[in-house]
Amino acid sequence: MPPPEKLVGIIGKTNVGKSTLFAALTLAPVEIANHPFTTIKPNIGVGYVKKKCVHVELGVRCNPRTGFCIGDYRFIPVKIMDVAGLIPGASKGRGLGNKFMDDLRQADVLIHVVDASGSTSPEGHPAKPGSYDPVEEAVLIRREVDEWFKSVVRGAWQRFIRHVIASKKPLDLLAQNLSGLSVKKHHIVEAIRAAGLENKKFTSWSPEDVDLFAVKLREISKPIIIAANKIDLPGAEENLRRLRERFGEENVVGISALAEYILRKAAEKGYIEYIPGEPGFRIKDNASLSNQQLRALRLVKRNVLDKYGTTGVQELLNKAVFEKLGLIVVYPVEDHHKYTDHAGNVLPDAYLVPRGTTARELAYMIHTELGKTFLYAINAKTGERVGEDYVLRDLDVIKIVAAAARR
Ligand SMILES: Nc1nc2c(ncn2[C@@H]2O[C@H](COP(=O)(O)OP(=O)(O)OP(=O)(O)O)[C@@H](O)[C@H]2O)c(=O)[nH]1
Ligand SMILES: [Mg+2]
């Protein structure tokens, strides 16, 4: 069984472009409209991170089983979820409240979409660009996200604390109670340390301690990257700079979800050649575009590509998955000379795995039996044998050698 697909959640204030970003990433048909609370039920789809494929280095052409290759790049699937929008005070029941956030309990990383042009009111009503402050929006909405997370953790904590005295392994018990939040034991250990609570007995934690732990746990187990959206509109560039100043350069990506959506749609219909993340596109010779379509493409070029280089959308997803989650890409193969599986497919799988994953852990991800009967692995690039503790490197091509399967 390959590693479970990562889940990227899209959150933010209502009417800032979350569903537009979702549609640009997945090309799934979803409702998009310029008023608050268009999305109510979550949208789930598949998007792709983009990475130079190892086939370039190996001089072969690959046959991906999941995802695809275009030119030198491998597009590897991740799950994307778009949910209803928040407004300030959501944790107190304003707008649609924050219960719908429960749909995101399994998310591994969150993309927080902010209207960098300041053209939506706190309640999500459209306004002239520059009317509102995106930094304030980002701060207020993040607070709502943390309030949601705190309320879920408080519930889990109460179940945990009732049984902790009888428990021999309290950390495992806590992890068990928090498993619905897709939280791992190492996340919990880190959060306890980050909250400065490592020397305090669980039974003497105050409600404030639990809340602080919850916020740290959110930061560690569901890191947030900010998508400063609508960079095509006036004033957004300056706000992008301010958002970066406030939240850190590495935590903010300027995007135009609408521009990416227009390009992806036009490419899907065969009007243009466009590869996500590229700085340009080419209108096909035989494309018969209406004046309106031509105008839209010209605006994308002038207001986004010429000014910022790209629409930012691919960079955003890549940063969320590779940087925030610290994942690398490895290619398991069965034939380490031809880089194929048993059916002769070249480089069939590209796995997204955490940095630090060992050869044996990879074997378990491929198949439990392969993990159990693991003997050694072969680094296909060098032909070297490596042991179970070998720590995988980015773009490794690995064959696992195991004892004959027991029947
Ligand atoms: N100019 C500009 N407008 C955008 C961009 N992205 C989205 N929009 C517009 O913003 C409005 C809201 O878009 P949606 O994607 O429905 O927003 P949402 O956050 O999903 O909204 P709710 O589901 O109602 O919370 C639509 O009119 C979009 O066309 C962008 O990059 N630039
Ligand atoms: Mg929406």
Side-chain angles (χ1 to χ4, degrees):
M1 235 187 26
E5 259 173 27
K6 293 294 162 190
L7 176 62
V8 181
I10 302 178
I11 57 162
K13 194 175 73 176
T14 185
N15 206 23
V16 293
K18 298 180 298 299
S19 298
T20 310
L21 172 62
F22 174 82
L25 288 169
T26 64
L27 284 178
V30 293
E31 218 180 321
I32 294 170
N34 197 7
H35 57 73
F37 305 121
T38 304
T39 307
I40 304 216
K41 284 213 209 103
N43 297 307
I44 302 169
V46 176
Y48 298 88
V49 291
K50 175 184 179 182
K51 172 137 179 153
K52 180 78 95 47
C53 183
V54 78
H55 79 239
V56 180
E57 186 185 336
L58 300 177
V60 293
R61 289 181 66 157
C62 49
N63 319 105
R65 262 206 306 211
T66 54
F68 48 91
C69 266
I70 306 178
D72 291 353
Y73 291 92
R74 183 94 168 201
F75 289 80
I76 306 164
V78 291
K79 267 195 282 185
I80 315 273
M81 191 188 278
D82 162 44
V83 300
L86 292 159
I87 60 170
S91 53
K92 307 224 156 49
R94 296 194 62 222
L96 298 178
N98 66 2
K99 268 316 255 181
F100 63 82
M101 290 285 289
D102 284 352
D103 294 325
L104 286 172
R105 279 180 310 193
Q106 293 298 317
D108 297 292
V109 58
L110 302 172
I111 292 177
H112 176 180
V113 183
V114 174
D115 179 351
S117 73
S119 65
T120 27
S121 78
E123 279 72 38
H125 297 292
K128 276 211 313 278
S131 304
Y132 298 96
D133 179 5
V135 174
E136 195 179 327
E137 174 188 322
V139 171
L140 290 179
I141 296 299
R142 181 163 308 191
R143 203 169 290 161
E144 296 301 332
V145 176
D146 283 341
E147 282 304 318
W148 158 69
F149 204 80
K150 276 189 218 165
S151 67
V152 182
V153 170
R154 282 178 200 140
W157 181 266
Q158 269 168 9
R159 289 188 297 277
F160 157 74
I161 210 72
R162 274 202 294 272
H163 297 108
V164 68
I165 294 176
S167 165
K168 293 214 173 55
K169 291 185 168 172
L171 215 52
D172 289 335
L173 182 66
L174 184 56
Q176 218 173 24
N177 277 287
L178 288 167
S179 60
L181 275 170
S182 181
V183 164
K184 304 271 165 6
K185 205 160 127 187
H186 70 93
H187 292 140
I188 296 174
V189 173
E190 273 178 66
I192 291 175
R193 200 178 309 131
L197 290 162
E198 64 267 58
N199 295 322
K200 207 164 180 178
K201 279 208 300 258
F202 285 128
T203 44
S204 38
W205 282 24
S206 68
E208 291 73 32
D209 290 338
V210 177
D211 280 359
L212 180 62
F213 164 69
V215 171
K216 295 294 174 197
L217 189 62
R218 203 283 299 147
E219 286 170 8
I220 290 161
S221 68
K222 299 195 194 308
I224 290 180
I225 187 158
I226 292 180
N229 192 28
K230 305 195 194 175
I231 52 165
D232 52 293
L233 293 182
E237 197 174 10
E238 168 62 9
N239 282 329
L240 173 60
R241 198 190 55 71
R242 291 178 54 243
L243 282 163
R244 288 198 165 130
E245 210 171 76
R246 175 68 171 73
F247 291 96
E249 193 86 19
E250 70 287 2
N251 296 315
V252 183
V253 182
I255 66 162
S256 174
L258 183 59
E260 179 74 6
Y261 180 71
I262 290 169
L263 294 175
R264 293 282 304 269
K265 268 289 174 202
E268 188 192 32
K269 294 210 169 98
Y271 298 147
I272 65 168
E273 273 169 22
Y274 172 66
I275 300 169
E278 297 289 293
F281 60 89
R282 195 183 74 81
I283 297 179
K284 288 193 182 167
D285 301 335
N286 56 355
S288 57
L289 292 163
S290 68
N291 282 339
Q292 203 189 350
Q293 286 167 323
L294 278 171
R295 193 170 154 267
L297 288 173
R298 264 202 297 273
L299 283 176
V300 167
K301 181 164 158 38
R302 185 163 39 142
N303 294 347
V304 181
L305 300 179
D306 288 351
K307 198 162 159 192
Y308 296 96
T310 71
T311 69
V313 169
Q314 186 67 59
E315 183 195 341
L316 170 71
L317 188 62
N318 271 28
K319 269 199 160 175
V321 172
F322 292 125
E323 288 177 27
K324 291 282 151 200
L325 291 179
L327 301 183
I328 58 170
V329 180
V330 299
Y331 297 75
V333 295
E334 285 176 51
D335 181 325
H336 62 285
H337 298 294
K338 296 189 180 138
Y339 318 120
T340 53
D341 63 9
H342 59 278
N345 295 308
V346 179
L347 299 168
D349 298 309
Y351 281 14
L352 289 167
V353 304
R355 206 172 278 286
T357 299
T358 63
R360 181 125 195 189
E361 285 165 345
L362 176 68
Y364 268 106
M365 287 176 194
I366 300 168
H367 201 287
T368 313
E369 197 63 26
L370 203 58
K372 280 189 197 153
T373 58
F374 179 98
L375 293 175
Y376 59 93
I378 298 171
N379 178 341
K381 285 187 192 169
T382 61
E384 261 173 326
R385 258 190 196 205
V386 293
E388 60 178 347
D389 293 333
Y390 171 75
V391 174
L392 301 170
R393 281 173 306 194
D394 199 20
L395 298 181
D396 264 354
V397 181
I398 297 284
K399 174 185 168 62
I400 306 287
V401 179
R406 283 170 301 209
R407 294 275 160 201

